Amino acid sequence: MFDFLRDFLLQYGAIGTLLWMLLKVLVIAVPVIVAVAFYTLFERKVIGWMHVRRGPVYVGQLIPGLGLIQAFADVFKMLFKELIIPANASPLLYRLAPLIALAPALAAWALIPFGPGDHGPTVLANVNAGILALLALTSMGVYGIILGGWASNSKYAILGALRSAAQVISYEIAMGFALVGVLVAAGSMNLTDIVQAQAGDLGIGEWFVWPLLPLFLVYFISGVAETNRAPFDVAEGESEIVAGFHVEYSGSAFAIFFLAEYANMILVSFLASLLFLGGWLSPFPTTWGLLGVGGWWWLFAKALFFAFSFIWFRASFPRYRYDQIMRLGWKVFIPITIVWIFVTAVAAYNNWFVLGA
């Protein structure tokens, strides 16, 4: 169907090409937004079970006791609430900050390959420098946080923004170094090529998570810190600074900040699956018949595990102090990644990795 629609639109020249691109953007962006809605419901239910309580149960009786419409009820509530702008705030930047945070969070999904296809990988933009583009896009979200805190003209908001900016920038370095080890092992910055470099007859034994285990742990923990999630949520520490950089936000603007944070959490989950766990490749050997056949379902199953881990951490660990977070990023993670990049380079030079397999 998509091939027919593509050929139909492309025959109308530049306008058809633009419409085709817009259609592909919607095909990715709309499911991401819906996934965020259900992810919030999933989080509330899982934390409820971990706290030995039920979580949302009343809104939505499609399946009694699950509250399936609760997430959408929350969205509609925030969209129809009034956006109250503080009297001394900067109106333009106050409105612009949530959009600056959201735009990179959604744009990064254009680079995510979801599986193999008949005409190449299922990806909106299969660029060769995919890792570099992802680092550039995800780094821009911090501007929305800083502007949101500053434009609110609130002491709590600016303190939360400064904490968050320092934390995000610090862990961006460790995350970048972890990705350097991946591209050295794969011999490419293209995400599809990185997945294909983990293909082989051994299935799970070919994945980068084993030779790059320290980099994998650094990457995922840095991803938790990058998204300001517990136990690294000092920027939003309710017991310390009320609610962080978005303390003065309400209504749709708060919903956009919320959407950007959860979209980034799901993005980190997909990237961890693609870079270290073989993406859409099956964990079983190819000799196992249908079990050894890769597909998008494997990628989604792996990403679901990492998405669950975000919730698991929140329900299990107390919040770190700010000095502990900075010490972990600068004095532990960065030295570990530098040492393991050297080890990975030596392994690649001696062909211990099957480059480009």
Side-chain angles (χ1 to χ4, degrees):
M1 182 183 70
F2 281 102
D3 292 339
F4 170 77
L5 188 57
R6 179 193 59 193
D7 296 339
F8 175 76
L9 291 176
L10 293 183
Q11 68 181 344
Y12 292 100
I15 295 178
T17 302
L18 178 61
L19 291 175
W20 173 241
M21 291 299 296
L22 289 175
L23 178 62
K24 290 198 290 185
V25 169
L26 290 175
V27 166
I28 293 177
V30 172
V32 169
I33 295 172
V34 174
V36 167
F38 279 108
Y39 189 26
T40 59
L41 174 65
F42 179 63
E43 178 181 27
R44 296 173 70 179
K45 295 295 288 188
V46 169
I47 290 180
W49 295 330
M50 289 184 173
H51 291 170
V52 196
R53 54 186 175 83
R54 299 185 67 187
V57 293
Y58 295 114
V59 182
Q61 295 296 325
L62 298 177
I63 301 179
L66 287 185
L68 291 178
I69 314 298
Q70 180 67 56
F72 299 96
D74 292 337
V75 170
F76 289 134
K77 178 192 71 174
M78 287 189 286
L79 290 180
F80 287 107
K81 286 180 69 174
E82 180 183 1
L83 175 60
I84 301 173
I85 301 178
N88 296 321
S90 175
L92 176 61
L93 295 180
Y94 182 87
R95 292 185 175 93
L96 192 60
L99 299 178
I100 294 177
L102 178 64
L106 293 182
W109 282 92
L111 304 168
I112 301 299
F114 295 97
D118 296 333
H119 302 283
T122 306
V123 58
L124 180 60
N126 190 27
V127 298
N128 289 330
I131 289 183
L132 187 61
L134 277 169
L135 285 174
L137 286 171
T138 54
S139 300
M140 291 179 64
V142 71
Y143 291 107
I145 294 173
I146 295 175
L147 284 178
W150 183 85
S152 298
N153 198 22
S154 166
K155 295 177 181 178
Y156 291 120
I158 190 62
L159 181 59
L162 291 175
R163 282 185 171 189
S164 180
Q167 178 176 316
V168 168
I169 291 172
S170 299
Y171 281 87
E172 190 79 31
I173 300 173
M175 179 180 286
F177 282 168
L179 297 185
V180 169
V182 174
L183 68 91
V184 169
S188 173
M189 287 194 293
N190 183 281
L191 291 172
T192 304
D193 293 343
I194 290 173
V195 174
Q196 294 301 331
Q198 301 174 71
D201 295 336
L202 297 180
I204 193 173
E206 306 279 353
W207 294 353
F208 286 158
V209 65
W210 308 118
L212 304 181
L213 183 60
L215 298 183
F216 165 69
L217 295 176
V218 168
Y219 173 80
F220 188 64
I221 297 174
S222 298
V224 177
E226 281 274 304
T227 53
N228 292 312
R229 292 287 298 181
F232 303 100
D233 60 337
V234 291
E236 304 172 10
E238 295 87 351
S239 59
E240 304 169 17
I241 51 175
V242 185
F245 59 90
H246 50 55
V247 65
E248 300 291 347
Y249 279 88
S250 62
S252 59
F254 176 78
I256 291 175
F257 269 127
F258 204 70
L259 174 61
E261 177 180 321
Y262 277 77
N264 278 325
M265 291 164 58
I266 301 174
L267 178 69
V268 169
S269 301
F270 271 86
L271 284 175
S273 306
L274 290 166
L275 298 173
F276 296 97
L277 296 186
W280 56 81
L281 300 176
S282 171
F284 301 105
T286 55
T287 56
W288 285 31
L290 291 177
L291 287 177
V293 176
W296 59 268
W297 50 88
W298 289 116
L299 173 61
F300 279 69
K302 297 168 188 175
L304 180 62
F305 169 76
F306 288 116
F308 169 77
S309 298
F310 275 94
I311 305 170
W312 194 1
F313 296 160
R314 176 183 171 183
S316 303
F317 298 110
R319 183 181 302 127
Y320 281 115
R321 293 198 318 266
Y322 191 69
D323 62 302
Q324 293 174 325
I325 292 177
M326 290 293 103
R327 186 185 304 116
L328 180 67
W330 288 100
K331 294 185 177 180
V332 178
F333 281 180
I334 292 179
I336 288 176
T337 53
I338 291 175
V339 170
W340 213 257
I341 286 173
F342 176 76
V343 172
T344 306
V346 171
Y349 181 78
N350 289 281
N351 292 323
W352 294 344
F353 295 107
V354 183
L355 299 179

